[in-house]
Amino acid sequence: MDLPTLASQSAGITGVSYGLIQQEASQTPTTMLPAVICGHRGLFYPSARHSVRMSSTGVDWKGILANRVAVVTGSTSGIGFSVARRLAQDGAHVVISSRKQQNVDRAVGELQGEGLSVTGTVCHVEKAEDRERLVAKALEHCGAVDFLVCNAAVNPLVGSTLGSSEQIWDKILSVNLKSPALLLSQLLPYMEKRRGAVILVSSIAAYIPKVELGVYNVSKTALLGLTRTLALELAPKDIRVNCLVPGIIKTDFSKVFYENEALRKSFSEHYQLQRIGKPEDCAGIVSFLCSPDASYITGENIVVAGFSSRL
């Protein structure tokens, strides 16, 4: 997740509510692949059709996720949509989701029009019945799932942590923190023996919190801890868990932030690369983390922000 939309042009505002927002953006297609089928449970079959470019494992990169199934939440726009497109371009069958049917229909139609293997369903990740529907949709392809990318998130308040109501606390923590763990627990029986991967999506607000982001800061920081904990729990099952930490990415979710000169400057002092990120800047690293090339990487929080947050 990139930093959430701020509902005011003032850096000092506290307590301004606004509607739940999901990330929106588009990405220019770079390649087209035919629909893929699911391989034998627990095995990976690389495809040599799509490209001659090879990964460090010797596998054709453009088919490196062939015969795999990926579930991406919050994936009809913005970072989630770019991630879904990239995973499908690299050979996976991708199940996309968001809260609104029209957004799902639009995204599925666009990606299928590019020749990609994509299906989708409505899923408000906070609702158990919606998560069950998402799991069922994913299993339609071949009865198993390899990758889960948890991108859905909300921030219904711009204001201080201590100024947030109990309802705000419950909403943000439920969607941003609890729902990824619950969805994973529902998918886990179908991910075992697949040597798969889980990618949680945090935010640079976990490393550089802002007062205006309040509880959102807390929820995204907690995802870093959830990543480390799940990596330990799932290591015996050969499932890797890593965390994407985007900086300021140009999506509707964050446009008021990067259009606010004072707030943008408060972050730009950290940047080595003097530009705002694009959704596709995050897509490649997610595909890599799902691939065999990342088979010895787990428990990592990987920042994609145009600067390093570490010493």
Side-chain angles (χ1 to χ4, degrees):
M1 279 291 302
D2 51 90
L3 290 174
T5 304
L6 298 184
S8 170
Q9 295 297 309
S10 169
I13 189 167
T14 60
V16 179
S17 297
Y18 62 100
L20 303 184
I21 317 168
Q22 291 190 316
Q23 300 174 5
E24 295 183 353
S26 62
Q27 177 184 354
T28 301
T30 57
T31 187
M32 289 189 280
L33 300 176
V36 298
I37 60 172
C38 189
H40 185 274
R41 184 173 179 84
L43 296 180
F44 169 73
Y45 299 109
S47 168
R49 299 177 54 195
H50 307 310
S51 172
V52 297
R53 186 159 61 97
M54 307 298 282
S55 73
S56 64
T57 60
V59 176
D60 166 15
W61 184 263
K62 283 300 180 183
I64 203 164
L65 302 182
N67 309 314
R68 311 285 260 183
V69 177
V71 173
V72 187
T73 67
S75 50
T76 58
S77 60
I79 291 174
F81 182 76
S82 290
V83 166
R85 172 182 267 148
R86 179 57 182 268
L87 296 180
Q89 287 174 339
D90 287 341
H93 173 76
V94 180
V95 182
I96 67 174
S97 67
S98 75
R99 294 182 298 117
K100 295 181 179 181
Q101 185 67 57
Q102 62 266 34
N103 293 341
V104 173
D105 293 342
R106 175 189 48 77
V108 169
E110 182 174 345
L111 296 181
Q112 287 182 347
E114 296 170 13
L116 302 175
S117 180
V118 176
T119 56
T121 186
V122 169
C123 181
H124 191 316
V125 293
E126 192 178 16
K127 298 179 179 179
E129 61 273 22
D130 280 19
R131 295 195 302 269
E132 291 171 2
R133 181 169 55 244
L134 179 58
V135 171
K137 173 61 72 173
L139 296 179
E140 287 178 3
H141 192 66
C142 67
V145 173
D146 299 280
F147 313 122
L148 171 63
V149 182
C150 295
N151 178 66
V154 297
N155 186 41
L157 175 76
V158 177
S160 69
T161 304
L162 298 181
S164 299
S165 67
E166 185 172 357
Q167 289 79 9
I168 292 295
W169 274 97
D170 290 345
K171 171 59 71 173
I172 294 178
L173 294 183
S174 178
V175 174
N176 296 5
L177 182 62
K178 185 174 71 173
S179 294
L182 293 177
L183 178 58
L184 176 56
S185 68
Q186 290 171 269
L187 281 171
L188 186 58
Y190 310 102
M191 296 181 69
E192 295 184 12
K193 301 180 182 179
R194 300 285 294 183
R195 295 184 177 181
V198 177
I199 291 85
L200 306 180
V201 182
S202 179
S203 167
I204 197 62
Y207 288 94
I208 308 174
K210 294 294 180 179
V211 171
E212 297 83 9
L213 304 182
V215 182
Y216 181 86
N217 295 327
V218 178
S219 71
K220 291 301 183 177
T221 303
L223 278 176
L224 308 184
L226 181 62
T227 298
R228 301 293 293 273
T229 300
L230 291 177
L232 288 173
E233 289 186 17
L234 297 182
K237 300 181 184 294
D238 209 8
I239 297 173
R240 297 172 291 106
V241 184
N242 292 290
C243 188
L244 172 70
V245 185
I248 302 175
I249 306 298
K250 193 170 184 178
T251 70
D252 280 356
F253 195 85
S254 61
K255 69 179 180 180
V256 177
F257 178 85
Y258 61 72
E259 290 175 353
N260 183 306
E261 187 69 16
L263 292 171
R264 184 178 58 80
K265 284 184 177 179
S266 72
F267 268 91
S268 64
E269 63 187 30
H270 299 283
Y271 279 44
Q272 280 100 43
L273 300 179
Q274 294 297 308
R275 67 174 177 86
I276 296 171
K278 300 173 291 183
E280 54 265 38
D281 289 327
C282 299
I285 189 66
V286 172
S287 185
F288 165 73
L289 290 172
C290 290
S291 77
D293 276 354
S295 63
Y296 205 49
I297 300 174
T298 194
E300 287 293 335
N301 302 311
I302 300 176
V303 176
V304 180
F307 68 96
S308 174
S309 60
R310 303 180 181 182
L311 293 177

